[in-house]
Amino acid sequence: MEERFIPLGKSFYKQPTLQLAKALLGCTLVKESEEGISAGYIVETEAYMGPEDRAAHSYGNRRTKRTEIMFGEHGIAYTYVIHTHCLVNVVSGPLEKPEAVLIRAIEPLSGVELMKKRRGMEDLRKLTNGPGKLTKAMNINMGDYGRDFSQPPLYIAPGYVPENISSGPRIGIDNSGEAKGYPWRFWVAGNSFVSR
DNA sequence: GCACAGATACGCT
DNA sequence: GCGTATCTGTGCA
């Protein structure tokens, strides 16, 4: 399994967050480690629009140790621990604009055996169809906080261009007032690896 | 299918 | 110190 992936350059992350969320669909998320390389197509994302978005950690420009990274440069990894799991975001927007795109699901592409081993299960469909699942499968954790997505060991490479993209309300933000209705969740239509 | 417990970093009192 | 969070696995119907 000697596949090579070429990271997308910094300029890719310059586009507006909502557009980036859609552009990321079909791209390849790659993580290299001592155990080997694992990669998968991104099939589901969510946009978090910073100050105006009640569901975002950076709502109202709340700047803390955790959200600090979102105020910085685009194309950086924002990893976040919740309960027993870890989630990964791509920081978007220009400096001082705390926007981000959450990666919710991927379709296993490379290093599948490694993912199965890390997840401790065989069911391909359930391997990475959720934000906490894919991070475990790809061994993404707080050690990846602040990592640059345009170079190894954690990066995003071109993949395929999805035929159809669907959008709808985001998930897991019930206590976020009217923001929970915003259709800022995007997924590859018809792909069975999306979370729900 | 649905409800529920799990177990951790962080922000607020 | 305590309550909350961009969730998941499990147990039961």
Side-chain angles (χ1 to χ4, degrees):
Chain A
M1 193 154 7
E2 264 308 307
E3 289 166 85
R4 299 297 305 168
F5 299 100
I6 311 296
L8 285 160
K10 269 261 187 274
S11 56
F12 175 75
Y13 303 96
K14 254 187 171 155
Q15 52 191 319
T17 301
L18 287 174
Q19 195 180 310
L20 179 65
K22 283 183 273 192
L24 282 169
L25 293 175
C27 287
T28 316
L29 179 66
V30 188
K31 172 75 194 254
E32 294 175 2
S33 73
E34 310 82 43
E35 303 172 280
I37 194 168
S38 51
Y41 292 126
I42 297 169
V43 294
E44 185 178 356
T45 60
E46 277 178 12
Y48 284 87
M49 299 301 283
E52 303 86 42
D53 186 356
R54 186 134 160 34
H57 291 156
S58 50
Y59 172 64
N61 273 324
R62 224 158 60 106
R63 188 171 190 148
T64 64
K65 201 193 296 180
R66 203 168 42 168
T67 61
E68 178 70 31
I69 197 108
M70 286 201 276
F71 291 83
E73 206 179 350
H74 50 244
I76 298 293
Y78 168 42
T79 49
Y80 170 75
V81 182
I82 181 169
H83 294 257
T84 47
H85 306 280
C86 192
L87 307 168
V88 62
N89 292 249
V90 182
V91 175
S92 175
L95 284 173
E96 302 304 320
K97 265 285 199 180
E99 301 176 353
V101 177
L102 168 69
I103 298 175
R104 282 196 61 85
I106 64 170
E107 175 182 341
L109 170 67
S110 188
V112 177
E113 290 310 313
L114 200 49
M115 295 188 202
K116 283 180 179 173
K117 192 176 128 209
R118 287 183 184 133
R119 297 270 293 115
M121 60 166 68
E122 290 296 310
D123 192 339
L124 197 64
R125 249 193 52 105
K126 292 180 181 168
L127 219 47
T128 55
N129 66 335
K133 300 181 191 180
L134 77 89
T135 54
K136 190 173 180 192
M138 300 194 68
N139 198 25
I140 293 170
N141 48 55
M142 285 313 282
D144 294 305
Y145 181 88
R147 214 149 233 169
D148 187 344
F149 268 121
S150 60
Q151 60 185 354
L154 177 66
Y155 56 97
I156 292 172
Y160 67 100
V161 178
E163 305 252 320
N164 284 299
I165 292 173
S166 300
S167 62
R170 290 169 296 177
I171 293 194
I173 54 170
D174 288 346
N175 57 345
S176 302
E178 64 177 61
K180 75 177 178 183
Y182 299 168
W184 288 345
R185 171 173 170 246
F186 305 97
W187 67 94
V188 177
N191 188 292
S192 57
F193 291 94
V194 301
S195 57
R196 19 193 120 158

